[in-house]
Amino acid sequence: MSGKGQGPLAGVRVLDLTSVLMGPYATQIFADLGADVIKVESPQGDTTRFIPPGPDASRGAMFLNVNRGKRSIVLDLKQPEARFALLRMAQGADVFIHSMRSSAIGRLGLDYAALQSANPKIIYANLYGFARSGPYRDYPAYDDIVQAASGIVDLQARLSGGQPTYAATVIADKVAGLTGAYSVIAALYARERSGVGQEIEVPMFETLVSFAMVEHLCGSLFVPPEGPPEYPRATSEARRPYRTADGYIGVMIYNDKHWRAFFEALGDPEWSQDPMFASMRSRTQNIGAVLAKVAEVIETRSTGEWVELFRKAHIPATPIKSLTDLLDDPHLVETGFWQERKTPAGILRFPGIPTTFSETPGAIGDPGPALGGESLDVLREAGFSTEEIADLQAIGAVRTAA
């Protein structure tokens, strides 16, 4: 293994042929944890480079964040010479990861068989929309498409008066990216024990269906079904932040202990004796009425009063915070979550690594690289001579930063 980073993945080298968000998010995690991530881009560059705002036209904020700590090489993989260069680079790599459809990566001659021939121990990860064994294999897939196909949009409609809506975050991309990250790390661990590389498939569609069905499979877990695939508490229209006398608050009165503490804090009102509040089962069966009653009560006091009451009663509760609020959140400030870096583009603020390691802490790398900024370094490390690099440049198979 080779690489220059700091963290539990130091020494791991990753060839990253992913773009947009799903794959780059997975490889951002690798880079944060110390892997040497070589971002292999087309001459046009990753699409997210051009999403503003940014310090220049080819490095937008999203790109700078999700590609931090990586190095960029530009290869025109439509040219055979570039493909051969990549296969030569793979000889010294531990992981090859891409986010193309299976048909597209096959046309480039970069399927698992090709990479395995170059390096039998390589971990080869496919991150794409739909599993290649099914009829959707060649359908294009973006986050909105997978949200719609996976049931997430339909679930969101339950909370918006029947109007289908997307989740206000790219949940399919990020869940699949996280899944890809842990899958590759698991395969690296297996290789340490067996010495054998392998191929991994992480399809967005199947990953998000699995994610949604953790709680929502519900009664359809049983064959024949004992109920529809839906967890009623999560889809109740009454499940929403509660309006207070002066704003809104998020509250989770969940288990029996919480409910006893809630009633005690209110002085055990008469309505608390209603049998529907008696147990988890009865509350779940009457979830709409239960949440509606709580909403009615919450409106009687201010947000500050409720936060104080709930915290004294050890009931989970918080004021509603905006993304702007989080930039100065006292907990995030105290834990050092936000990390500022001086760069040629000015001072940039990054969200920190959310996990900690007592012995091998990771580190936030430099912001997303210039397109082709490290092309020459990467080729030299792979053993290419000055003459070989010049030949690749002459035919446009490899390009460097402008």
Side-chain angles (χ1 to χ4, degrees), residues 40-248:
V40 181
E41 299 185 73
S42 71
Q44 293 73 40
D46 188 332
T47 305
T48 56
R49 283 185 173 276
F50 311 103
I51 300 176
D56 56 61
S58 65
R59 288 188 298 162
M62 187 187 304
F63 176 85
L64 290 171
N65 186 22
V66 82
N67 290 287
R68 64 199 190 199
K70 303 175 188 178
R71 300 191 288 164
S72 172
I73 180 173
V74 171
L75 293 175
D76 183 357
L77 292 172
K78 294 178 181 178
Q79 297 194 44
E81 293 82 359
R83 174 183 177 274
F84 292 138
L86 183 62
L87 291 174
R88 185 166 162 184
M89 290 162 54
Q91 294 172 9
D94 300 289
V95 177
F96 178 95
I97 181 169
H98 76 89
S99 56
M100 304 178 201
R101 280 177 275 176
S102 59
S103 57
I105 197 75
R107 285 194 299 271
L108 290 174
L110 294 172
D111 58 10
Y112 177 52
L115 271 294
Q116 188 185 38
S117 294
N119 180 354
K121 295 181 66 175
I122 202 154
I123 305 301
Y124 183 105
N126 305 274
L127 274 65
Y128 37 49
F130 304 92
R132 62 190 173 202
S133 59
Y136 302 164
R137 68 179 67 86
D138 289 324
Y139 289 179
Y142 287 89
D143 189 273
D144 290 1
I145 302 304
V146 176
Q147 282 198 41
S150 66
I152 295 293
V153 167
D154 182 61
L155 288 170
Q156 289 292 108
R158 319 293 177 87
L159 305 180
S160 55
Q163 179 68 38
T165 58
Y166 297 115
T169 184
V170 284
I171 189 170
D173 276 329
K174 291 189 287 186
V175 170
L178 285 168
T179 303
Y182 78 65
S183 298
V184 168
I185 292 169
L188 286 169
Y189 176 72
R191 192 186 69 180
E192 287 300 299
R193 302 175 71 186
S194 69
V196 178
Q198 62 181 300
E199 183 179 16
I200 298 167
E201 181 180 69
V202 183
M204 293 174 70
F205 176 56
E206 284 85 346
T207 298
L208 202 59
V209 171
S210 174
F211 180 79
M213 289 298 190
V214 167
E215 77 278 32
H216 284 295
L217 187 55
C218 215
S220 291
L221 175 73
F222 306 98
V223 180
E226 294 188 9
E230 179 181 348
Y231 177 41
R233 195 196 75 80
T235 57
S236 170
E237 288 191 17
R239 179 185 172 246
R240 59 184 67 247
Y242 295 112
R243 182 189 294 274
T244 66
D246 62 353
Y248 290 87

Side-chain angles (χ1 to χ4, degrees), residues 264-308:
E264 183 178 340
L266 295 179
D268 292 316
E270 182 179 346
W271 58 267
S272 69
Q273 305 306 312
D274 190 313
M276 73 178 180
F277 294 102
S279 68
M280 179 71 78
R281 184 180 185 86
S282 62
R283 290 191 297 271
T284 300
Q285 291 173 334
N286 298 278
I287 192 66
V290 167
L291 297 181
K293 183 61 182 179
V294 174
E296 178 185 317
V297 174
I298 296 293
E299 284 198 51
T300 63
R301 306 188 192 189
S302 70
T303 300
E305 290 175 300
W306 281 119
V307 168
E308 182 179 3

